[in-house]
Amino acid sequence: MRLSIAENVAARALAHPDRMALEVLDGGPSYTYGQAWCRVVALAEALDQTAPGRHGRMAALLLPNDADGVLAYLACQMAGVAAVPISTRLAEPEIRFVVEDADAKLILAGGPFAKVAANLGVPVVRVEDIETPTSVPPPVLGESERGEEPCVVGYTSGTTGFPKGALYSNDHYLTALMRWGWEFGLTADQVMLVPGPLFHLSYAGLSMAALCIGARVRIMLEFRAELALSELREHCSFAFLVPS
């Protein structure tokens, strides 16, 4: 396919720069599509320094559940780097295993997780140190030709041993998002609640699917039942939830 997930979001930023894209609940930042794309470009520039490992260029993501937790995936795609999201609920030895197994040569970290990242012997970029420009050059769409390149590596099935990295190409992940969008009927006028962790590829993927279609995404820093109920009652029209 000619366009990556990131380029689909860039197209929305070109068409509707002032439309609200991302809101982080409990006092977090809000981004219009134009502002969100400026943030993606800033993150991508920071990721340009990612060196290749034995599996290619991979960057580990160890981030709080906020806007950067979504936008970092898009930034990796723009930088030609595979994203390796890591569960922030893991212990340090488990995080170390994922970083070493992926041979990620850079960790994009934020909040309290930057301290953990600093102990892993890999260069760390703190998202708090990345300044976001107020404007960026218009993106050139359809020229990256990265469809077959690795997009994200999700570590999974760790209940009976160490987790394994499941590799998604750009085309594979974009196809999955398109399928989810059709199946769930996502449209630009919907408001999506993200009540779960963005290191999980379902929450991250559905968030990016919503951004591809031009919808509005509201992210919970952490799950609170009363806040989720309030959001679904007053603001949001869609949410992905895990049955207990």
Side-chain angles (χ1 to χ4, degrees), residues 40 48 71 78 84 89 93 139 142 178 192 208-209 213 231 244:
V40 169
D48 278 340
L71 300 180
M78 295 303 296
V84 184
R89 300 169 184 174
M178 292 169 66
M192 177 181 287
M208 286 186 280
I213 203 67
E231 285 292 309
S244 60

Side-chain angles (χ1 to χ4, degrees), residues 1 11 20 58 177 197 210 216 223 231:
M1 287 177 276
M20 185 56 63
M58 298 200 176
L177 302 199
R216 183 175 169 187
F223 183 78
E231 285 292 309

Side-chain angles (χ1 to χ4, degrees), residues 1-206:
M1 287 177 276
R2 295 291 295 180
L3 298 183
S4 66
I5 299 169
E7 289 173 305
N8 274 280
V9 177
R12 294 296 172 185
L14 285 170
H16 307 288
D18 297 326
R19 177 181 291 176
M20 185 56 63
L22 289 165
E23 296 167 296
V24 181
L25 306 181
D26 288 329
S30 297
Y31 291 97
T32 65
Y33 272 88
Q35 292 167 336
W37 187 248
C38 288
R39 184 62 177 168
V40 169
V41 171
L43 293 170
E45 289 177 353
L47 288 162
D48 278 340
Q49 60 186 285
T50 306
R54 64 180 181 274
H55 306 300
R57 299 175 72 215
M58 298 200 176
L61 308 181
L62 196 58
L63 297 166
N65 221 53
D66 59 16
D68 283 342
V70 178
L71 300 180
Y73 287 90
L74 306 177
C76 284
Q77 293 165 29
M78 295 303 296
V81 175
V84 184
I86 300 178
S87 169
T88 55
R89 300 169 184 174
L90 296 179
E92 185 175 317
E94 296 169 311
I95 294 173
R96 182 182 298 277
F97 170 82
V98 173
V99 172
E100 293 179 351
D101 188 68
D103 201 24
K105 297 301 184 183
L106 183 142
I107 302 174
L108 192 64
F113 310 112
K115 184 176 181 180
V116 176
N119 296 329
L120 300 176
V122 176
V124 177
V125 175
R126 295 175 67 253
V127 291
E128 292 87 354
D129 296 334
I130 300 173
E131 295 186 5
T132 305
T134 56
S135 63
V136 295
V140 178
L141 305 179
E143 294 186 357
S144 64
E145 294 291 345
R146 288 177 174 153
E148 297 182 359
E149 293 182 9
C151 170
V152 64
V153 180
Y155 274 77
T156 185
S157 300
T159 54
T160 57
F162 287 114
K164 293 85 178 171
L167 188 149
Y168 294 74
S169 70
N170 280 279
D171 280 354
H172 184 178
Y173 206 20
L174 176 56
T175 301
L177 302 199
M178 292 169 66
R179 185 176 66 250
W180 288 345
W182 292 329
E183 179 70 23
F184 298 127
L186 297 180
T187 56
D189 60 350
Q190 290 204 25
V191 181
M192 177 181 287
L193 176 66
V194 181
L198 288 162
F199 58 71
H200 194 288
L201 295 188
S202 293
Y203 290 107
L206 282 164

